[in-house]
C-alpha cells in the first residue's frame, strides 16, 4: 500500500501488516485518490467550519468542540410571586401618598419650600398657600421634584429593576424593544395629559432662566415640546437598546469577539498556518483548496496534521510528505489499509482533540453547577489511565460506551495516532468487519487469521510467563510463577528441536507427561547437542507428580483449547496464520477478536486472560511509544489477575490504556477489588448496580465538604394577654400553633455518592463517571446521560 513514505520512515511499512500464510484472500482494489468528502458528523458542519469551531481548554472529560461555558450561578433571589406583590404594594402606596399630597392631607408639606423662598410669596400660617404667581410656579416645580423622588423611592422599595431584568430584559430582543416602546408611549400619554407633572415645571424653569419673552416664538415652543418628548423617550430607549435593535434589523450588528482578533492577513485554521510558517506554502495552498472544495474529511485533516508533527524533526520525511501532498492532496500519507474513513459513524467525534462524545451532564445537585448541561467525552488522555465500567446486563455498557470508544480509536488509527484491540463475544456490538484491519474469529473455520498463544515472542521464559498467566492466573491456590517455570521447562526444549513453540495438542501431551512424547523430545535434544535444554527437560521429569506440581492443572486448562472446534487454530510453525499482538507495537492497526462465549465460555475466559496478559507485556516492552495503544474488553469477567492488575497500573506510563467492563465487581476475586479500583484512573457505575458494588465506588470517590441547613421549629409563648389572644385566634384559624424557625448552618463531610444513591437514584440510561488524566488532573464523579 502507498503510505507516501510517512509510515515507512518509522520502519512500519505496509508489508508489516499481519497477513495469513498460505493462499492470500482476494486482493482489495488499489487505493483511490478520488475525492471522498465526508462531514465530521452526519448532521454536523462542513470541514471548513469544523476547523474554525473553537475548542477551549476545559476540565477533564468536557466535550470541547464548540463548548460554551455556563453563565455564573445566580444566588437564590426573591420569587416571582413576591416580586409581583412588592411591585403592586409599592404602586398602590405611591398612589395613596400622591393622592394625600395633592389633596392637602399631609401636614407641613409646604414648610421645606417656604424655608427657601421669599415670605411674601405665601399666605401666613403653616397651611397658607401661594399668594403670588411666583409662589404658584415654585409650588409646581416643588411638586414635580417630590413626584420624581416618590417614583424613585417606590421603585427601590418595590424592586422594579429586578422584575424588569427577569421578565422583560431576560426575554431578549425583540420583546425588550417592543415592551420599552409600549412603556414609552404610555409615559408620553401620561406626560401630555398632565397626569405626570413634567411639562409645566419644565416650561416654568425655562422661563425663569431665559425670560417669558421666549414663548412669543412658536418655533421655540415647538422645540421645547420636542425636547420634552425626546427626554421622556430617552430612558426607555436606553433600557430597550433601541439602537442595537435597529442596527441588527439593518444587518449592521457588529459581533463582539471573545478574543482579540488577529491581524487581517493571519491565516485561518483551514489555511494550514503551521505549514505556512515552516515555508511549505505550496503544500498549504494545496490542502487549503482541498478543504474548501470538500475533497478532505476530518480524518484526512487529523492524519496530515499528525504526519506533519511526526516529521517536523526529520527533513527527509517532510520532503516526502510535501511531495505526496502536491501529488495526491488530501490522500497523502494514507493509513496502510488505504481507508480514509469508516463506512458508518454512530456517535459524534472530534479528531482534532481525539474526543468522542458519550453523553452530557444532567442538571443534578451531585454535579457541579458549571458542569451541568455540558457534554461528556473520552479521549486518549483519559483512557491512558484505563477505565473500569460496571453495570448489569442491559445497562448499555456495550452500545453506549464500548462501541463509541472502539469507533473513536478506529478513526484515530486511520489518522495514524492510535491502535486498538477490541475483544468481545461473536456477534457483539464492537463494529462491522470493514471497520477493522484484522478480524480474528476463534472457533470459526472461515476466519482468515489465527491467534498466537505465545504473543509473537521467541523467548521461552517470556512466552511461559504470559501463557501461565492466561492459563492459571485465576487459580488462587496456585503460584503462576511456578506454572511459568513448568511451561518454560517444556517450551524451551521443544523450540530448540523444532524451531517453534508447540501447538496445543503437543503442549497438552507434554504437560500430561506422555511417555512417548517426552522420550522423543529427549532423544532429539540429545541428538542435537542441546545439553542445557536436556537438563531442563530432565528437571521437569523429576518434578512431575510431586506435591504442588502445577502440571496437572496446566494440562486441564490447555485441554480447554484442545477441542475439535479449535483444531484449525493456535497452530505454530511455518504454516501458521497467527496474528500476534506485537503487530500493535508500531502499526496503527484496528484489530477485533471474536470469542466463542456461548459454546465455549471457559475457553473464552482463558483466551481473554491471555490477551490481557499479552497486551500488558507487549506494551511495556515497546521502544517506540509515540502510538497510543488501547485494549477494549467488552466482558472482563474472571479475567483480571494480580499480575494483570500490576500491568494495568503500568499502562499510563507507556502511552497505553485499557477499557474493562464488568457485570459486577464480584466477577473479580475479592482480594483484587481494592487493587483493581486503585489501578484504574476512570471509573463508571451504570444504572442498576447493587449496593455492594456501590459501596466500593463510594469508597473510591471519597468524601467532600458540604454546607447543610437544619431548621428547627420552636413554639412561641406570649406573655401579654392581647398577644396570647392573637396567637389563640391564629391557631383557631390555621389549626397550627405559632412557631418560629431556628436555622443552623454547618459544614459536614459527606460521601460524593453513597452506595444507596448509586443503587437506587441513577436513572436508566445514565451512569456516574469519574475521570483522571495521565498528568494526574481529575474530575469528580458526575451523573451522565448516555446520549452520545
Amino acid at each position: 500500500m502507498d503510505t507516501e513514505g510517512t509510515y515507512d520512515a518509522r520502519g512500519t511499512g505496509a508489508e508489516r501488516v499481519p497477513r495469513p500464510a498460505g493462499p492470500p484472500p482476494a486482493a482489495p482494489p488499489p487505493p483511490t485518490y478520488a475525492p471522498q468528502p465526508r462531514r465530521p458528523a452526519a448532521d454536523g458542519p462542513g470541514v471548513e467550519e469544523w476547523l474554525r469551531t473553537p475548542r477551549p481548554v476545559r476540565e477533564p472529560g468536557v466535550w470541547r468542540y464548540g463548548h460554551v461555558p455556563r453563565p455564573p450561578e445566580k444566588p437564590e433571589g426573591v420569587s416571582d410571586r413576591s416580586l409581583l406583590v412588592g411591585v403592586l404594594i409599592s404602586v398602590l402606596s405611591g398612589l395613596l401618598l400622591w393622592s394625600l399630597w395633592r389633596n392637602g392631607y399631609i401636614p407641613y408639606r409646604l414648610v421645606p419650600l417656604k424655608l427657601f423662598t421669599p415670605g411674601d410669596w405665601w399666605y401666613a400660617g403653616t397651611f397658607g398657600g401661594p399668594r403670588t404667581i411666583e409662589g404658584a410656579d415654585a409650588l409646581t416645580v416643588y411638586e414635580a421634584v417630590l413626584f420624581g423622588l416618590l417614583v424613585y423611592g417606590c421603585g427601590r422599595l418595590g424592586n422594579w429593576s429586578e422584575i424588569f431584568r427577569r421578565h422583560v430584559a431576560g426575554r431578549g430582543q425583540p420583546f425588550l424593544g417592543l415592551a420599552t416602546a409600549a412603556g414609552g408611549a404610555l409615559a408620553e400619554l401620561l406626560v401630555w395629559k398632565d397626569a405626570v407633572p413634567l411639562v409645566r415645571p419644565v416650561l416654568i424653569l425655562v422661563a425663569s432662566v431665559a425670560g417669558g419673552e421666549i414663548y412669543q416664538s412658536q418655533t421655540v415652543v415647538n422645540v421645547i415640546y420636542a425636547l420634552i418628548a425626546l427626554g421622556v423617550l430617552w430612558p426607555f430607549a436606553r433600557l430597550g437598546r433601541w439602537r442595537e435593535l435597529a442596527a441588527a434589523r439593518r444587518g449592521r450588528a457588529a459581533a463582539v469577539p471573545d478574543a482579540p482578533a488577529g491581524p487581517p492577513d493571519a491565516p485561518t485554521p483551514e489555511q494550514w498556518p503551521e505549514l505556512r510558517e515552516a515555508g511549505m506554502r505550496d503544500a498549504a495552498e494545496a490542502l487549503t483548496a482541498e478543504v474548501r472544495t470538500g475533497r478532505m474529511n476530518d480524518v484526512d485533516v487529523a492524519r496530515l496534521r499528525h504526519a506533519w508533527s511526526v516529521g517536523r524533526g526529520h527533513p527527509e520525511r517532510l520532503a516526502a510528505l510535501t511531495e505526496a501532498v502536491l501529488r495526491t492532496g488530501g490522500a497523502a500519507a494514507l493509513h496502510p489499509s488505504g481507508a480514509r474513513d469508516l463506512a458508518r459513524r454512530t456517535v459524534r467525534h472530534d479528531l482534532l482533540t481525539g474526543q468522542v462524545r458519550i453523553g452530557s451532564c444532567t442538571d443534578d445537585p451531585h454535579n457541579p453547577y458549571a458542569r451541568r448541561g455540558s457534554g461528556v467525552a473520552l479521549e486518549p488522555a483519559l483512557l491512558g489511565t484505563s477505565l473500569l465500567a460496571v453495570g448489569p446486563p442491559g445497562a448499555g455498557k456495550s452500545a453506549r460506551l464500548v462501541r463509541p470508544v472502539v469507533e473513536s480509536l478506529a478513526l484515530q488509527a486511520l489518522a495514524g495516532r492510535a491502535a486498538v484491540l477490541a475483544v468481545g463475544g461473536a456477534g457483539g456490538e464492537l463494529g462491522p468487519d470493514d471497520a477493522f484491519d484484522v478480524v480474528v474469529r476463534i472457533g470459526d473455520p472461515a476466519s482468515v487469521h489465527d491467534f498466537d498463544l505465545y504473543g509473537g515472542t521467541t523467548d521461552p521464559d517470556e512466552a511461559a510467563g504470559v501463557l501461565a498467566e492466561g492459563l492459571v492466573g485465576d487459580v488462587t491456590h496456585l503460584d503462576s510463577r511456578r506454572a511459568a517455570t513448568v511451561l518454560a521447562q517444556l517450551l524451551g526444549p521443544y523450540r530448540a528441536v523444532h524451531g517453534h513453540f508447540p501447538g496445543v495438542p503437543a503442549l497438552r501431551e507434554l504437560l500430561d507427561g506422555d511417555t512417548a512424547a517426552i522420550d522423543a523430545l529427549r532423544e532429539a535434544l540429545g541428538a542435537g547437542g542441546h545439553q542445557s535444554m536436556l537438563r531442563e527437560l530432565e528437571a521437569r521429569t523429576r518434578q512431575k507428580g510431586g506435591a504442588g506440581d502445577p502440571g496437572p492443572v496446566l494440562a486441564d486448562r490447555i485441554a480447554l483449547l484442545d477441542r475439535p472446534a479449535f483444531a484449525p487454530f493456535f497452530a505454530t510453525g511455518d504454516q501458521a496464520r497467527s496474528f500476534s499482538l506485537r503487530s500493535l507495537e508500531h502499526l496503527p492497526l484496528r484489530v477485533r477478536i471474536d470469542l466463542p462465549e456461548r459454546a465455549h465460555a471457559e475457553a473464552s475466559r482463558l483466551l481473554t486472560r491471555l490477551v490481557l496478559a499479552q497486551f500488558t507485556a507487549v506494551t511495556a516492552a515497546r521502544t517506540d511509544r509515540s502510538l497510543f495503544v488501547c485494549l477494549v474488553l467488552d466482558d472482563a469477567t474472571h479475567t483480571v489477575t494480580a499480575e494483570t492488575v500490576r500491568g494495568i497500573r503500568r499502562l499510563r506510563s507507556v502511552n497505553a490504556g485499557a477499557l474493562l467492563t464488568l457485570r459486577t465487581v464480584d466477577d473479580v476475586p475479592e482480594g483484587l477489588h481494592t487493587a483493581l479500583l486503585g489501578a484504574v484512573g476512570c471509573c463508571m457505575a451504570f444504572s442498576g448496580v447493587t449496593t455492594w458494588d456501590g459501596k466500593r465506588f463510594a469508597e473510591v470517590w471519597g468524601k467532600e465538604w458540604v454546607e447543610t441547613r437544619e431548621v428547627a421549629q420552636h413554639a412561641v409563648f406570649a406573655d401579654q394577654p392581647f398577644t396570647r389572644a392573637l396567637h389563640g385566634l391564629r391557631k383557631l384559624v390555621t389549626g397550627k400553633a405559632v412557631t418560629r424557625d431556628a436555622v443552623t448552618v454547618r459544614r459536614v463531610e459527606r460521601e460524593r455518592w453513597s452506595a444507596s444513591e448509586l443503587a437506587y437514584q441513577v436513572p436508566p440510561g445514565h451512569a456516574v463517571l469519574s475521570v483522571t488524566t495521565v498528568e494526574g488532573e481529575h474530575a469528580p464523579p458526575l451523573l451522565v446521560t448516555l446520549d452520545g
Side-chain angles (χ1 to χ4, degrees):
M1 298 179 185
D2 185 8
T3 61
E4 307 299 348
T6 304
Y7 294 108
D8 296 330
R10 294 190 296 174
T12 57
E15 66 275 8
R16 293 196 59 185
V17 177
R19 299 296 181 192
T32 176
Y33 302 116
Q36 300 181 21
R38 181 183 177 90
R39 292 186 173 186
D43 56 348
V47 176
E48 186 173 356
E49 183 181 350
W50 172 75
L51 281 169
R52 293 187 177 186
T53 302
R55 295 165 174 84
V57 178
R58 303 299 299 173
E59 298 83 2
V62 176
W63 173 251
R64 292 170 52 191
Y65 176 78
H67 175 74
V68 178
R70 193 175 186 185
E73 184 176 9
K74 296 180 179 179
E76 295 184 2
V78 184
S79 64
D80 291 343
R81 180 178 180 181
S82 299
L83 279 177
L84 292 175
V85 171
V87 169
L88 180 62
I89 292 176
S90 63
V91 170
L92 294 178
S93 300
L95 292 176
L96 176 62
L97 288 175
W98 185 245
S99 177
L100 294 176
W101 171 272
R102 295 294 296 268
N103 292 285
Y105 290 105
I106 297 180
Y108 310 109
R109 64 189 187 99
L110 299 181
V111 171
L113 180 60
K114 292 181 179 180
L115 293 176
F116 297 96
T117 54
D120 55 358
W121 288 7
W122 312 94
Y123 288 107
T126 304
F127 296 96
R131 184 176 9 177
T132 62
I133 297 177
E134 291 81 0
D137 292 343
L139 180 58
T140 301
V141 175
Y142 179 56
E143 288 181 344
V145 173
L146 291 180
F147 181 82
L149 294 175
L150 180 63
V151 171
Y152 176 78
C154 291
R156 291 296 301 272
L157 292 175
N159 207 359
W160 295 1
S161 59
E162 178 62 23
I163 201 168
F164 176 80
R165 282 193 296 268
R166 285 193 191 181
H167 299 285
V168 181
R171 298 182 64 175
Q173 299 286 11
F175 179 83
L176 176 60
L178 295 176
T180 52
L186 178 61
E188 291 283 1
L189 178 64
L190 295 176
V191 166
W192 296 110
K193 289 293 184 180
D194 209 20
V196 174
L198 180 62
V199 177
R200 290 183 60 195
V202 170
L203 295 176
I204 290 172
L205 291 176
V206 171
S208 63
V209 173
E213 298 81 2
I214 193 174
Y215 295 121
Q216 294 179 0
S217 173
Q218 186 62 37
T219 302
V220 173
V221 174
N222 293 337
V223 170
I224 294 175
Y225 285 165
L227 292 176
I228 293 175
L230 291 175
V232 172
L233 290 178
W234 180 78
F236 293 94
R238 288 291 302 273
L239 290 175
R241 298 195 290 271
W242 293 357
R243 180 182 298 178
E244 298 177 11
L245 179 61
R249 290 296 180 183
R250 292 194 301 267
R252 294 189 286 107
V256 180
D258 295 334
D265 56 347
T268 51
E270 76 277 5
Q271 294 177 333
W272 300 82
E274 62 273 17
L275 298 183
R276 297 177 187 273
E277 293 176 1
M280 304 167 61
R281 295 189 59 87
D282 293 340
E285 292 292 345
L287 293 178
T288 301
E290 293 276 298
V291 170
R292 290 180 174 175
T293 55
R295 295 196 296 267
M296 288 183 68
N297 58 21
D298 54 344
V299 178
D300 296 331
V301 174
R303 186 183 68 252
L304 291 175
R305 286 197 172 193
H306 176 70
W308 158 253
S309 63
V310 169
R312 274 186 299 184
H314 305 275
E316 67 281 0
R317 297 185 186 178
L318 288 183
L321 178 61
T322 303
E323 180 185 356
V325 167
L326 295 177
R327 179 161 46 90
T328 60
L334 278 179
H335 184 265
S337 67
R340 298 174 63 178
D341 203 350
L342 299 179
R344 179 174 177 266
R345 303 189 189 185
T346 58
V347 291
R348 296 181 62 187
H349 302 272
D350 183 26
L351 290 177
L352 285 189
T353 59
Q355 291 187 319
V356 53
R357 191 181 190 278
I358 62 172
S360 58
C361 291
T362 62
D363 190 2
D364 186 86
H366 287 93
N367 295 339
Y369 174 82
R371 293 298 304 271
R372 298 174 190 173
S374 63
V376 177
L378 295 175
E379 57 184 304
L382 304 178
L383 296 174
T385 63
S386 299
L387 189 153
L388 176 65
V390 178
K397 300 188 299 297
S398 298
R400 301 186 180 185
L401 175 65
V402 173
R403 175 69 182 272
V405 170
V406 171
E407 188 176 288
S408 173
L409 293 171
L411 288 171
Q412 294 184 56
L414 293 180
R417 302 187 305 196
V420 57
L421 172 61
V423 182
E429 301 181 358
L430 298 180
D433 292 351
D434 57 7
F436 297 91
D437 303 311
V438 177
V439 178
V440 181
R441 298 184 178 91
I442 298 178
D444 186 355
S447 177
V448 177
H449 292 85
D450 193 357
F451 179 70
D452 188 355
L453 292 178
Y454 304 101
T457 183
T458 58
D459 184 358
D461 292 326
E462 182 180 352
V466 175
L467 184 58
E469 194 64 33
L471 292 176
V472 295
D474 61 329
V475 180
T476 56
H477 65 274
L478 182 61
D479 188 358
S480 61
R481 291 174 295 182
R482 293 192 61 190
T485 302
V486 171
L487 287 172
Q489 289 172 343
L490 297 175
L491 297 181
Y494 190 95
R495 178 175 176 79
V497 171
H498 299 280
H500 57 80
F501 293 121
V504 170
L507 180 59
R508 181 182 180 184
E509 291 178 351
L510 294 175
L511 289 172
D512 280 333
D514 183 78
T515 304
I518 295 294
D519 291 343
L521 183 58
R522 182 183 294 109
E523 292 177 4
L525 289 172
H530 304 289
Q531 296 302 319
S532 60
M533 292 300 173
L534 185 58
R535 287 194 298 271
E536 288 283 299
L537 182 61
E538 294 299 339
R540 172 60 198 145
T541 304
R542 290 192 301 270
Q543 295 169 3
K544 180 179 179 298
D549 179 22
V553 180
L554 289 170
D556 291 341
R557 285 302 178 88
I558 202 67
L560 294 173
L561 302 181
D562 190 17
R563 306 293 301 161
F566 302 138
F569 289 84
F570 315 124
T572 58
D574 296 335
Q575 299 302 318
R577 53 192 179 120
S578 301
F579 167 76
S580 171
L581 265 62
R582 292 192 179 275
S583 302
L584 300 174
E585 289 185 356
H586 305 290
L587 279 175
L589 288 178
R590 303 165 294 165
V591 183
R592 192 188 77 203
I593 299 178
D594 294 343
L595 301 175
E597 290 183 344
R598 297 179 181 177
H600 304 277
E602 191 62 31
S604 297
R605 297 192 187 102
L606 186 153
L607 292 171
T608 306
R609 283 195 302 273
L610 186 58
V611 170
L612 180 56
Q614 289 186 7
F615 180 82
T616 55
V618 167
T619 53
R622 286 194 305 165
T623 56
D624 182 8
R625 298 173 179 174
S626 60
L627 197 69
F628 177 73
V629 184
C630 187
L631 170 66
V632 179
L633 296 183
D634 193 27
D635 185 5
T637 302
H638 302 301
T639 298
V640 179
T641 65
E643 184 60 32
T644 53
V645 168
R646 287 188 286 269
I648 290 173
R649 188 179 291 112
R650 293 191 298 264
L651 291 179
R652 69 177 66 187
S653 62
V654 295
N655 196 22
L659 190 159
L660 313 177
T661 66
L662 295 171
R663 294 181 177 91
T664 173
V665 180
D666 289 331
D667 289 338
V668 176
E670 185 176 359
L672 297 178
H673 290 175
T674 302
L676 177 61
L677 290 171
V680 297
C682 306
C683 295
M684 197 168 185
F686 281 76
S687 172
V689 297
T690 63
T691 53
W692 291 272
D693 290 341
K695 180 181 179 181
R696 298 182 179 95
F697 280 106
E699 293 173 352
V700 171
W701 289 328
K703 301 180 179 180
E704 63 179 344
W705 289 98
V706 296
E707 188 177 89
T708 62
R709 296 170 59 89
E710 297 179 357
V711 180
Q713 292 184 340
H714 302 283
V716 178
F717 299 97
D719 296 330
Q720 301 298 326
F722 180 73
T723 306
R724 284 199 297 270
L726 290 178
H727 287 184
L729 178 62
R730 179 177 175 180
K731 184 176 181 180
L732 181 64
V733 173
T734 62
K736 298 180 180 179
V738 179
T739 60
R740 61 182 178 184
D741 295 340
V743 181
T744 303
V745 180
R746 295 188 303 171
R747 285 180 57 84
V748 298
E749 195 176 18
R750 288 185 178 176
E751 293 177 327
R752 298 178 185 271
W753 280 89
S754 67
S756 59
E757 288 175 334
L758 289 171
Y760 302 113
Q761 294 187 15
V762 178
H766 292 65
V768 180
L769 171 66
S770 66
V771 296
T772 305
T773 66
V774 291
E775 290 82 10
E777 188 178 2
H778 59 85
L782 305 171
L783 181 61
V784 178
T785 303
L786 299 175
D787 58 356

